[in-house]
Amino acid sequence: MENESKEIVDIVKFKKLRRLYIFALLTIAITVILSQILIQYNLYNQLSDSRIINISGKQRMLSQKLTKEILILNFVPKVQRDAKEIERVNDILALWQFNQNALEKGNDSLRFPKEKSAELSNLFEGIQPNFNAIAKAAEAFLQNKKLGLGEKKNQQLLQTILQNEPIFLEKMNQIVGQYDQEALEKVTLQSKTEYGILVFTLLVLLLEFLFIFRPTNNKVEMLISKLLFSEKKALKLAHDTEVISEAKENSVKELKSLNYAMENTLLYCRVAPNGAIIHIGEKFSKLLQYNPFISDKTFAEALTSVEKEQNYINQIILEKQRTGWQGEINITTKNEQSIWLDLSMVPVTIKNDESELLVICFDITERKKAEQEVDRLNKQNTDDKLNQQKIISSKIVENQENEQNRIAKEIHDGIGQMLTGLKFSLESINLEDKDKAEQKIEYLKKLSLDIIKGVRTATFNLMPPELSDHGIVPSLLKLTQELSKLTGKEILFYNKTDFDQRLDSLVEINMYRLTQEAINNALKYADSSHIIVQLSHSPTLLSIIIDDNGKGFDVTSVDKKRNSESGMGLLFMKERIQYINGRVFFNSIPGEGTRITFNIPI
């Protein structure tokens, strides 16, 4: 009851504070609105006052201008312009009269007030006779001027204007001064009023702080303290509850472990030490096609129908029921389907004297199939590589045989025939016939030179002497020059980076043979007329580029035709360049030409 009464009192206090807060806000809002209304009203009046002061000052100027124009009309005759001048002076007179009436009686279009202070009313009454005298005299003067009559009378009218005009100006100055004084009084009043509103607003804010904000703040602080105290009590209660529930944790640990196993595996089963099934999961029973409600088979019998496999599983249960077991097994299901399981047996103690095995399985049949497929593909790939290597070896042997046959043919048909001719020529020399002997000797000299040239050509094709003596650059230069002479095609060599290093002899001979084969392919298959061999290097790489303007080829399609002559040629280049840890790149466009690039580490 005491707590309820406190809550009721707090609610009443909050309602009272809320009403006071709303009242304070309304007071400030009304104050601000009234302040704005007053400021706008005063600004509107100030605009009217400034316009009135402006028109009042203009009246003095108009009266002076009217007097000056009338004097000009009187003393400076302009017959041809009198009508226009009179009309213009009439306009000035009309504007002067209109402004004076608006100032005195008020005007809605000019926003001139009709009500005036007593001082202004007295001043306007005092200036009215002078204004009327000037206006009547000016009207009469202009009328006489327009009709061309009464020059003598015009002089009297002019005297009337001149007598009243200074008086009018003086009184008009008084009116302007009065307007200015009243405008200053209005501004001063507005300033005082705004200060008063400001003081009132500050007072309201001070009262709000003292009687609303500070009590509300104190109340909120008190509520926060109560909430913090309640939170501490709740935390203590939670801690006490946790201490109480700790005694129950031991009794549910087994259930938590089993629940964790079931939640995180798809295939599970609880098995007794003798192999009987205590419980089998739904997923596992579907996989094994086993109905636990109408069957009492052991775990091994439910797992497979093959006796040999059953004995193996029973042996595992018997030997590993205390230590557990994990491994992969292959079983045969009821429908003669072979599946692989990643099986784990975990011993679980339910009570002090009772234990069981928790069997957790993963179906890894697809993974095993994938592994078998990978093994098959690896074996197939190995076989393909072996067959490819056999083809390469046979082609190498075949090329060596062809090269040997070509060299033997060159020696037999070329050098051999020339040596035979040399032998017969030597035998036919008759020293007694000096003239014929000299001719035959000259012929023998020429034949000897041809034999030497043939021997050099044959040895050059086998192993150019420049390669072993001077290195790759001179040998490639010699190769392009010789092939250019023999074929009649333009074959050029450029050493772009002035490479002059010697490399390992195995690297140099392979680079030479690769370049030789690339040039021969361009001549034999591409029907090229221009071939450019470029050599360049960096600190770690030597690059040889062979460009030709031949008919080109489709690199992808040729690379797939491993059994064709062109496909084997590309394969030989790749095999040879890999032998010296290099790389080869083929870039060819049918109908435009081919570029072959060899990159060798140095």
Side-chain angles (χ1 to χ4, degrees), residues 524-566:
K524 184 177 180 180
Y525 301 111
D527 194 20
S528 305
S529 61
H530 292 76
I531 301 172
I532 298 176
V533 180
Q534 302 178 68
L535 185 143
S536 60
H537 78 289
S538 68
T540 59
L541 192 71
L542 178 66
S543 180
I544 299 175
I545 301 174
I546 299 95
D547 290 308
D548 67 70
N549 65 341
K551 55 188 178 182
F553 62 94
D554 187 351
V555 177
T556 304
S557 61
V558 171
D559 190 48
K560 292 178 180 178
K561 298 176 182 177
R562 294 303 178 104
N563 295 325
S564 65
E565 187 173 359
S566 56

Side-chain angles (χ1 to χ4, degrees), residues 95-333:
L95 178 59
W96 181 62
Q97 290 176 322
F98 174 78
N99 288 343
Q100 190 68 21
N101 290 329
L103 289 171
E104 183 179 355
K105 299 177 182 179
N107 187 283
D108 293 335
S109 62
L110 295 177
R111 296 181 183 178
F112 288 175
K114 295 180 181 180
E115 300 295 332
K116 295 179 181 60
S117 62
E119 291 82 1
L120 283 173
S121 298
N122 292 332
L123 290 174
F124 274 109
E125 287 179 4
I127 201 174
Q128 190 64 30
N130 303 104
F131 171 76
N132 290 335
I134 295 173
K136 289 179 181 179
E139 287 175 355
F141 179 84
L142 292 172
Q143 184 66 25
N144 292 337
K145 270 292 181 182
K146 191 174 183 180
L147 298 174
L149 302 173
E151 288 295 330
K152 185 176 180 180
K153 191 175 182 180
N154 284 344
Q155 294 299 324
Q156 296 176 355
L157 294 171
L158 183 60
Q159 287 298 322
T160 302
I161 293 171
L162 293 174
Q163 289 173 0
N164 287 279
E165 198 266 341
I167 300 171
F168 176 83
L169 288 175
E170 182 181 354
K171 291 182 178 181
M172 202 66 204
N173 284 335
Q174 294 176 0
I175 291 173
V176 172
Q178 184 63 31
Y179 271 125
D180 189 36
Q181 182 180 351
E182 290 182 2
L184 180 61
E185 291 175 356
K186 290 180 181 179
V187 172
T188 304
L189 178 62
Q190 178 185 349
S191 178
K192 292 179 179 179
T193 305
E194 289 181 357
Y195 279 122
I197 293 173
L198 176 61
V199 171
F200 178 75
T201 305
L202 293 175
L203 180 61
V204 171
L205 291 174
L206 178 62
L207 294 174
E208 283 186 358
F209 174 75
L210 294 175
F211 298 103
I212 299 175
F213 295 142
R214 190 168 65 176
T216 303
N217 180 65
N218 294 334
K219 195 67 178 176
V220 170
E221 287 181 354
M222 184 176 65
L223 287 174
I224 291 174
S225 300
K226 289 181 179 180
L227 289 173
L228 291 174
F229 179 73
S230 300
E231 183 182 8
K232 289 181 180 179
K233 288 179 66 177
L235 290 173
K236 186 176 183 304
L237 289 173
H239 178 70
D240 294 341
T241 304
E242 185 178 357
V243 172
I244 294 171
S245 64
E246 187 176 354
K248 299 180 181 179
E249 284 190 6
N250 293 329
S251 62
V252 297
K253 281 184 178 179
E254 293 82 3
L255 293 175
K256 284 185 177 180
S257 61
L258 291 175
N259 181 63
Y260 178 81
M262 288 186 292
E263 289 293 333
N264 291 274
T265 58
L266 295 175
L267 308 175
Y268 68 94
C269 181
R270 292 166 57 198
V271 180
N274 61 358
I277 296 176
I278 299 173
H279 173 74
I280 187 170
E282 184 179 355
K283 294 284 185 180
F284 207 180
S285 61
K286 286 183 179 179
L287 176 66
L288 301 177
Q289 298 179 357
Y290 173 76
N291 190 342
F293 300 104
I294 61 175
S295 177
D296 57 352
K297 292 181 179 181
T298 63
F299 177 68
E301 292 172 345
L303 201 61
T304 176
S305 58
V306 180
E307 185 178 357
K308 184 178 179 181
E309 295 175 355
Q310 291 176 359
N311 294 333
Y312 177 66
I313 295 168
N314 286 328
Q315 184 181 358
I316 293 174
I317 294 174
L318 181 63
E319 295 177 356
K320 305 294 182 181
Q321 58 181 284
R322 292 186 180 277
T323 59
W325 183 83
Q326 193 276 331
E328 297 177 355
I329 61 172
N330 181 231
I331 63 172
T332 305
T333 60

